[in-house]
Amino acid sequence: MSTGSGADSAPAHKSTHDTAATGSGRGTFSSLAIRNYRLFFSGAIVSNIGTWMARITQDWLVLQITGSSVAVGITTAMQFLPMLLFGLYGGVIADRFAKRSILFVTQSAMGLGGLFLAAMTLSGNVEVWHVYVTAFFTGLVTVVDNPTRQSFVSEMVGPDQVRNAVSLNSANFQSARLVGPAVAGAVMAAVGPGWAFLANGLSFLAPLAGLALMRTADLRPTKLAPRGKGQLREGLDYVSKRPELIWPIVLVGFVGTFGFNFPIWLSAFAHDVFHGGSGMYGLFNSLMAIGSLIGALLAARRGTTRLRMLAGAAGLFAVIEIAAAMAPGMALFIALLLPIGVLGLTVNVTANASVQMATDPEMRGRVMSLFMMVFTGGTPLGGPLFGWLTDEYGVRVSLALGGLICALAAVGVGLMLARAANLKLKVDLRRGRRHVEFVPREQLATAA
């Protein structure tokens, strides 16, 4: 259990249809009152901008070198394949060692990866396999970095502010997504992609400085897991017995694998459908980022997060993706990118905060590694698959199919959450009282 606030030892198992994550309700930016989190947040802004610059540059460079959406999909797959293969081991490491010390190592390694790709590109020797290797290396580091960063949040802010801090982390990432693509487009046009990669490598100095300046006495470190056998199995068994954990993880797995292949879809819409360049691709990413930022700020304002919101947001996200696939012109396509961003972020934050708050502190690293493994680990499957669909049948078919699969998953998981919470669908079609909702079975029995 936590060695900090006793609130961390509160019961972890919450209703699957009522409050799954709670916050202090002290405002959208309440976590920033905590000094250590301000340092973490500030450093993350800089490195996230660099990361988005590298992502946009990387995808466009691969498309320019190969002319293939499959190659873009392979690049994305290489970055997330390590999470699929080794994701749970990252959670064991996060639970076993001091998280701040781990982050010093992982953030430094990511910076070195960016500098390597910058050197190859600026020297004029870059080939597509260099991008693949760098993406795979970054993915290996992320296996450890992701669950460590996710679980380190509670050590910085305490249990009362976890939901707010998770939402602000997402707002941070999406704010950088607004700036990064625009800067990357300008840098590529002015001096070439190598300088964008260089900026990414140097940007990791900011989070390293933030970690160094933290007051360790203000952290709330969780009890470290001892070295031993069976820790992976222990984490899986822990999740499998808790529907409030397993079903959100299943849903984000479907959404991450089939609904979040935007590097492929947005680059193909810009290049093949609307016949634009890197500037249009950057615009599409920035518009989605605006929607995602709005979604993150709305999530930060909410005092509670309900799992039924998770299923509903996932369903709407899927429907709007299908609508975007069928959009006849660029104006409508652009308009739909905003709600796609809002709802996609809502799904991610709702699931993330719900899972963190429903997990015992000493298990949080392993559970969050499973969460991230499922959410991003499906990309090595979805990336090449939807890249192939885009090349063979067009990006509209590819995007529509991804949305359809997500819609079916949202309905299925929503029904399973309702069943786990002993809820039943109530449909009232009487005039003036028409509504559809899930209510407790006991309530229906009493009404009958």
Side-chain angles (χ1 to χ4, degrees), residues 397-418:
V397 171
S398 179
L399 177 56
L401 181 60
L404 177 61
I405 295 172
C406 289
L408 295 174
V411 171
V413 169
L415 291 174
M416 295 306 297
L417 286 171

Side-chain angles (χ1 to χ4, degrees), residues 1 8-14 88 95 230-247 249 354-371:
M1 305 300 291
D8 238 345
S9 59
H13 315 308
K14 302 179 185 292
L88 290 177
D95 283 337
Q231 291 179 324
L232 290 181
R233 188 183 306 111
E234 183 184 7
L236 293 173
D237 289 344
Y238 180 87
V239 172
S240 68
K241 297 173 182 176
R242 292 162 173 80
E244 70 273 20
L245 296 179
I246 193 169
W247 290 116
I249 290 174
S354 298
V355 168
Q356 286 215 49
M357 293 302 295
T359 303
D360 294 321
E362 64 269 22
M363 297 294 296
R364 198 166 283 147
R366 278 165 282 181
V367 172
M368 292 313 297
S369 70
L370 177 61
F371 178 93

Side-chain angles (χ1 to χ4, degrees), residues 42-368:
S42 301
I45 288 177
V46 179
S47 65
N48 284 337
I49 290 173
T51 296
W52 275 110
M53 289 180 66
R55 284 191 181 185
I56 298 302
T57 305
Q58 167 185 287
D59 294 339
W60 194 256
L61 177 64
V62 169
L63 190 63
Q64 290 296 98
I65 292 173
T66 66
S68 170
S69 292
V70 171
V72 178
I74 291 173
T75 305
T76 305
M78 294 298 289
Q79 187 162 339
F80 294 107
L81 181 61
M83 184 65 72
L84 178 63
L85 298 177
F86 312 115
L88 290 177
Y89 292 96
V92 171
I93 294 172
D95 283 337
R96 188 179 292 169
F97 300 99
K99 295 173 178 58
R100 179 167 168 266
S101 299
I102 294 173
L103 291 175
F104 272 117
V105 176
T106 57
Q107 295 290 296
S108 298
M110 288 187 184
L112 291 174
L115 293 176
F116 166 76
L117 196 54
M120 299 307 299
T121 307
L122 289 171
S123 67
N125 296 316
V126 69
E127 298 180 20
V128 70
W129 70 267
H130 293 135
V131 181
Y132 292 163
V133 168
T134 305
F136 188 80
F137 173 77
T138 301
L140 281 174
V141 178
T142 301
V143 165
V144 178
D145 184 78
N146 253 342
T148 305
R149 279 189 298 106
Q150 297 284 343
S151 51
F152 188 54
V153 168
S154 63
E155 294 192 5
M156 288 184 289
V157 304
D160 291 341
Q161 292 283 0
V162 166
R163 182 202 53 79
N164 180 263
V166 168
S167 300
L168 289 181
N169 285 348
S170 296
N172 185 322
F173 190 69
Q174 300 306 329
S175 297
R177 191 176 176 183
L178 287 173
V179 178
V183 175
V187 170
M188 280 192 286
V191 292
W195 294 98
F197 293 133
L198 179 62
N200 174 50
L202 295 176
S203 72
F204 285 93
L205 292 173
L208 289 171
L211 290 167
L213 292 171
M214 284 185 181
R215 294 173 182 162
T216 56
D218 292 344
L219 296 174
R220 307 175 186 216
T222 56
K223 181 180 179 181
L224 299 180
R227 184 181 181 88
K229 295 181 179 180
Q231 291 179 324
L232 290 181
R233 188 183 306 111
E234 183 184 7
L236 293 173
D237 289 344
Y238 180 87
V239 172
S240 68
K241 297 173 182 176
R242 292 162 173 80
E244 70 273 20
L245 296 179
I246 193 169
W247 290 116
I249 290 174
V250 168
L251 182 54
V252 298
F254 273 95
V255 172
T257 301
F258 301 105
F260 267 66
N261 295 288
F262 294 111
I264 297 166
W265 292 329
L266 296 184
S267 61
F269 266 100
H271 190 268
D272 301 330
V273 177
F274 300 123
H275 308 294
S278 59
M280 182 180 291
Y281 179 47
L283 171 64
F284 289 167
N285 277 278
S286 294
L287 289 169
M288 273 202 63
I290 292 172
S292 298
L293 177 59
I294 293 170
L297 293 176
L298 291 175
R301 288 184 61 85
R302 284 194 293 268
T304 61
T305 299
R306 301 175 186 272
L307 286 179
R308 60 194 180 197
M309 179 189 297
L310 172 63
L316 285 174
F317 168 80
V319 169
I320 297 177
E321 276 199 339
I322 295 171
M326 299 185 293
M330 190 167 70
L332 180 57
F333 180 79
I334 285 175
L336 291 173
L337 291 179
L338 290 173
I340 287 174
V342 171
L343 292 164
L345 197 284
T346 300
V347 171
N348 191 10
V349 168
T350 303
N352 188 311
S354 298
V355 168
Q356 286 215 49
M357 293 302 295
T359 303
D360 294 321
E362 64 269 22
M363 297 294 296
R364 198 166 283 147
R366 278 165 282 181
V367 172
M368 292 313 297

